[in-house]
Amino acid sequence: MSKVAIIGAGYVGLTTAACLASLGHDVTGADIDADRVARLNRGEIPILEDGLPELVADGIAGRRLRFVVGAVTAVGNADFVFLCVPTPQADDGSADLGFVEAAVREIAPKLRPGTVVINKSTVPVGTTRIVKRILSDAGATDRIYVASNPEFLREGVAVSDFLHPNRVVIGCEDPEAAVRVSDLYRNVDAPILVTDAASAEMIKYASNAFLATKISFINAIAGLCEAVDADVREVALGMGYDTRIGFEFLHPGPGYGGSCFPKDTAALLHTARSSGFDFSLLQGVIDVNRRQHERMVEKIRNLAGGDLDGATIAVWGLTFKAKTDDLRDSPALYITDHLMAEGAKVRAYEPAEEAAARAATMQPGLEIVSDAYEAVAGASVLGVLTEWDEFRWVDFERVKAGMTAPNVVDTRNLLDPTALRRRGFTYVGVGR
Ligand code: NAD
Ligand code: UGA
């Protein structure tokens, strides 16, 4: 059993804390948000993650997990310190390391010899070196090790991804420290790749950028399918049977969003530019994605008769994908923002209640209602913006009765076009 401190109790930090506690380690999670810490110690989970409430409750009850305010409070006795703080996008596209650097400066004087500081935040190549330098500048003992251990979990299935990962990547120049970090994962059944820090940092960005590339590729194929009257769903199926291509991340949609793909592709492009490397492929991926958001607005405008001014538009789903409450860089919010900018009145239903409340404060003018039928009342177009399963099981006769015209833009290809058309709807999907 190792003593582990986790700095940052967000999607990654909280999942890491709860999962490492469930693997038998003694874990202290720290956050600067005192309210969040108080809620966590009461067993209240501030984010929507399957299985997380149970793991946190087990950890607290078994005295293997606790939460404290401030990084300094957590690290004094730690053998390992995980940095799980935000690395948001800076104005120039690069990853802003401000939170990482501040956390390292804060904890440096408190670390005891032998501690391994592990970067789990997504950080550009070279950050492990920066962390080492800050530690020594801030007076930490020279027997502190630094490792990179990027995280590959997806929101919504974070616990399952953490406990059953495809791989664990550890980047560390010191072999003994690398073995100690890999030992934290001894009860996780996954290949462990130990490599140098720069490669570990690059693996994270390359993985996210590759997945984003698959999505932009299929979205571009979807656009082409619309032009030549093919069905992208059949195309993706036919491609996916080739195991070299695979079925995953070939679902066309409104473009990727979320707290990571947009910022991580921008950061990797920034790294390429500042290294003098022409990564036009990645620029293309980002451009296709932005264009895909715009195409969804165009589809809704077209069904509204070519002019959104004064139109009432209903939307279902505001989060960046289903099964999460995360609104960061959500394509849905891009779409509602642009609909309203063109004069539409937008009424939204979002199943994750807390996310719905936050969306209302982020976009004044966006009307939030508490069910799918209320959203469509008086609307001339319904936009399905995330793929929450409950949208499939709505009574579409009732939807039709509530709308001024039965028009649906299904940006996720979630619904059955044949069934809807039979009911008299005009249905527009993506690439079909
Ligand atoms: P988040 O915003 O949900 O959580 C970060 C937390 O860190 C916040 O609660 C914040 O209050 C806290 N914090 C900031 N500075 C602190 C400090 N000095 N001391 C203590 N707490 C502090 O962020 P996240 O989504 O968990 O992402 C964290 C990092 O992990 C990012 O680099 C992100 O790119 C990466 N990542 C995220 C995901 C994901 O799905 N969200 C997956 C893989 C990697
Ligand atoms: C993504 C990666 O999948 C994780 O491996 C990674 O750890 C994480 O980013 C991160 O670095 O933060 P996440 O952002 O939770 O995870 O969400 P995904 O399920 O990957 O979806 C990202 C976006 O792509 C969403 O907007 C989703 O709707 C979209 N998407 C995904 C598609 O449009 N089509 C697909 O086929 C798959």
Side-chain angles (χ1 to χ4, degrees), residues 148-150 152 169-171 195-205:
S148 161
N149 172 217
F152 300 98
V169 173
I170 296 162
T195 181
D196 59 286
S199 301
E201 290 162 340
M202 184 56 92
I203 286 168
K204 174 62 193 173
Y205 280 101

Side-chain angles (χ1 to χ4, degrees), residues 83-124:
L83 302 173
C84 303
V85 295
T87 47
Q89 188 175 329
D91 291 341
D92 62 357
S94 65
D96 178 351
L97 291 179
F99 288 99
V100 173
E101 293 177 359
V104 175
R105 244 178 248 116
E106 202 182 327
I107 60 174
K110 296 279 176 192
L111 299 174
R112 62 180 189 185
T115 302
V116 189
V117 175
I118 304 164
N119 226 329
K120 213 176 226 328
S121 297
T122 301
V123 290

Side-chain angles (χ1 to χ4, degrees), residues 150-352:
E151 180 51 56
F152 300 98
L153 64 77
R154 292 161 299 169
E155 289 181 19
V157 285
V159 168
S160 158
D161 278 355
F162 190 97
L163 293 175
H164 309 283
N166 291 320
R167 77 301 208 185
V168 173
V169 173
I170 296 162
C172 189
E173 314 305 334
D174 183 277
E176 202 185 311
V179 169
R180 284 176 56 207
V181 176
S182 64
D183 208 34
L184 287 172
Y185 292 95
R186 65 182 172 275
N187 291 325
V188 170
D189 183 20
I192 295 186
L193 172 66
V194 176
T195 181
D196 59 286
S199 301
E201 290 162 340
M202 184 56 92
I203 286 168
K204 174 62 193 173
Y205 280 101
S207 300
N208 273 3
F210 187 76
L211 293 170
T213 302
K214 276 189 102 174
I215 298 169
S216 276
F217 185 85
I218 202 65
N219 282 335
I221 293 291
L224 196 50
C225 282
E226 287 171 12
V228 300
D229 213 11
D231 185 338
V232 72
R233 303 211 332 163
E234 301 295 315
V235 175
L237 189 64
M239 289 168 68
Y241 277 114
D242 185 330
T243 50
R244 294 170 303 172
I245 298 173
F247 294 106
E248 295 203 57
F249 279 72
L250 283 187
H251 302 288
Y256 58 77
S259 66
C260 292
F261 284 177
K263 81 167 169 63
D264 292 347
T265 46
L268 186 59
L269 193 62
H270 183 273
T271 299
R273 283 207 183 109
S274 35
S275 322
F277 179 77
D278 175 16
F279 203 161
S280 52
L281 172 64
L282 187 56
Q283 182 65 63
V285 168
I286 294 169
D287 292 345
V288 166
N289 196 56
R290 177 41 55 106
R291 181 78 192 99
Q292 194 69 3
H293 295 351
E294 291 165 4
R295 291 182 73 241
M296 300 304 117
V297 177
E298 284 163 21
K299 283 172 188 280
I300 294 173
R301 188 194 304 116
N302 288 343
L303 275 200
D307 186 5
L308 285 163
D309 197 16
T312 300
I313 309 294
V315 304
W316 289 350
L318 294 171
T319 52
F320 80 94
K321 63 173 185 178
K323 295 185 183 158
T324 179
D325 56 358
D326 200 339
L327 294 164
R328 289 179 285 183
D329 254 318
S330 173
L333 290 181
Y334 174 96
I335 294 167
T336 53
D337 191 36
H338 282 72
L339 295 175
M340 290 191 291
E342 291 188 37
K345 176 177 165 48
V346 181
R347 198 177 305 120
Y349 166 59
E350 162 53 53

